Amino acid sequence: MRIVFAGTPEVAVPSLQALLDSPSHEVVGVITRPDAVSGRGRKVVRSPIGVLADEHGLEVITPRRMSEPDVAETLRRWAPDCAAVVAYGGLVPEDLLALPTHGWINLHFSVLPAWRGAAPVQAAIAAGDEVTGASTFRLEKGLDTGPVFGILTETIRPTDTSGDLLARLADAGSGLLVNTLDGIEAGELTPEPQPSTGVSHAPKVEVEDARIRWDLPAHIIDRLIRAYTPAPGSWTSLDDARIKVGPVRPVAEDDASLPDSVRAEPLAAGAIAVTKKAVFVGTGSTPVKLGTVQPPGKKPMPAADWARGARLTDGTVLG
């Protein structure tokens, strides 16, 4: 089939590569988000999908909105049999949905109807789900409500960050997407309507959502930090500075690695205890041991190095 691919970030790259490698499909054009300013140098950076498309000599368009008239004109010229969408980052207007013969097929990183929306992997980890997955479905007017062609499942590991889990789903999902398009071309796949039960939503995660609330139980803090790693990055404050915090490890109150003072008297939420090799923080339940910490303007570092350099002492309160 003649395929138009719409996608933007790194997690979409395996799917575009799989389609480029497929003998059954021809990628005739790519839609990605506009080049963006990034990094301290404020350089203009091409999206990962734009970079891969350029390497293969594909025609690329970068509209600010899909509703721009040029998008419809270009799609008609490309004359696709189907459009594949993976993490594009924008809505497809209703009037474009019928332009490809077989519509727009989206690879979404959850088992629909669970976690419809922009951040399904982050939501699954934050909720403590044990299993998630990916779904291919036909886009329609509603948000991730279209009929489903295929699914796969993936176990969420106890130490998974959203980056870890997304990487596995991106690789596995690329095969699911190609198989779905193969089945559509062969006339062997009929999409099934999503069930009306089990619907949940995963809106975009904002920076403020990733602020750590030390008064929550340790296992919830652990989930939330892993969910928001690497993006947008969990953080706390020390005085007026915003400190990024990597994944933590919940520690039982009788753990031998804890200082004697902490085992004798529990830490208050947000209060720290410092040893030569570790930094512990009090929560709404048991303490957590910090992993990596990133102060403003610096690279991530082990928490003990940060505490030593900042001359932190027992009783300092974060947040």
Side-chain angles (χ1 to χ4, degrees):
M1 288 196 294
R2 292 172 58 84
I3 304 293
V4 165
F5 187 88
T8 300
E10 191 67 36
V11 294
V13 167
S15 289
L16 176 55
Q17 187 64 62
L19 287 170
L20 291 169
D21 293 340
S22 170
S24 304
H25 307 294
E26 177 191 4
V27 180
V28 296
V30 169
I31 307 173
T32 191
R33 301 292 291 167
D35 298 354
V37 175
S38 179
R40 292 185 188 177
R42 310 304 291 166
K43 294 181 179 179
V44 177
V45 177
R46 188 78 150 162
S47 77
I49 284 298
V51 170
L52 180 60
D54 292 343
E55 290 173 352
H56 286 267
L58 299 173
E59 184 177 355
V60 180
I61 60 173
T62 58
R64 294 192 177 278
R65 293 180 179 83
M66 282 276 202
S67 57
E68 294 175 10
D70 288 351
V71 177
E73 293 176 10
T74 303
L75 280 171
R76 292 189 182 95
R77 176 168 57 81
W78 283 339
D81 297 308
C82 193
V85 188
V86 185
Y88 168 67
L91 296 176
V92 180
E94 193 174 1
D95 62 334
L96 297 186
L97 293 178
L99 284 182
T101 306
H102 295 288
W104 297 68
I105 308 303
N106 191 13
L107 172 64
H108 182 77
F109 297 119
S110 79
V111 179
L112 291 169
W115 304 126
R116 295 171 177 171
V121 171
Q122 291 91 330
I125 293 175
D129 292 354
E130 295 181 354
V131 176
T132 187
S135 308
T136 49
F137 72 99
R138 179 175 285 133
L139 286 185
E140 58 180 30
K141 185 178 180 181
L143 178 62
D144 300 336
T145 58
V148 173
F149 286 95
I151 64 170
L152 61 82
T153 58
E154 175 71 27
T155 299
I156 301 178
R157 301 169 187 171
T159 59
D160 269 342
T161 65
S162 60
D164 298 331
L165 185 52
L166 263 172
R168 297 203 304 275
L169 289 174
D171 286 339
S174 65
L176 175 63
L177 178 63
V178 172
N179 289 340
T180 297
L181 296 176
D182 288 346
I184 290 172
E185 182 178 37
E188 297 172 349
L189 277 183
T190 301
E192 297 289 335
Q194 294 184 33
S196 58
T197 58
V199 176
S200 51
H201 297 276
K204 180 181 177 181
V205 178
E206 304 293 346
V207 172
E208 188 60 31
D209 298 328
R211 179 200 290 262
I212 301 169
R213 283 186 48 192
W214 297 110
D215 60 322
L216 294 173
H219 72 283
I220 300 295
I221 292 173
D222 167 44
R223 288 179 195 168
L224 292 172
I225 292 176
R226 288 188 292 108
Y228 304 146
T229 300
S234 287
W235 60 278
T236 190
S237 56
L238 178 62
D239 298 326
D240 293 328
R242 180 181 294 183
I243 311 294
K244 280 193 173 183
V245 178
V248 300
R249 180 174 68 84
V251 180
E253 288 181 339
D254 60 353
D255 191 291
S257 67
L258 284 172
D260 292 340
S261 59
V262 175
R263 281 184 282 164
E265 183 177 350
L267 286 170
I272 71 170
V274 182
T275 70
K276 289 183 178 180
K277 296 183 178 180
V279 178
F280 302 92
V281 186
T283 74
S285 59
T286 57
V288 296
K289 180 181 177 182
L290 298 185
T292 59
V293 174
Q294 184 177 6
K298 296 185 178 181
K299 294 180 179 181
M301 64 183 71
D305 293 348
W306 164 67
R308 191 161 41 249
R311 297 183 179 179
L312 301 182
T313 57
D314 291 354
T316 300
V317 178
L318 302 177

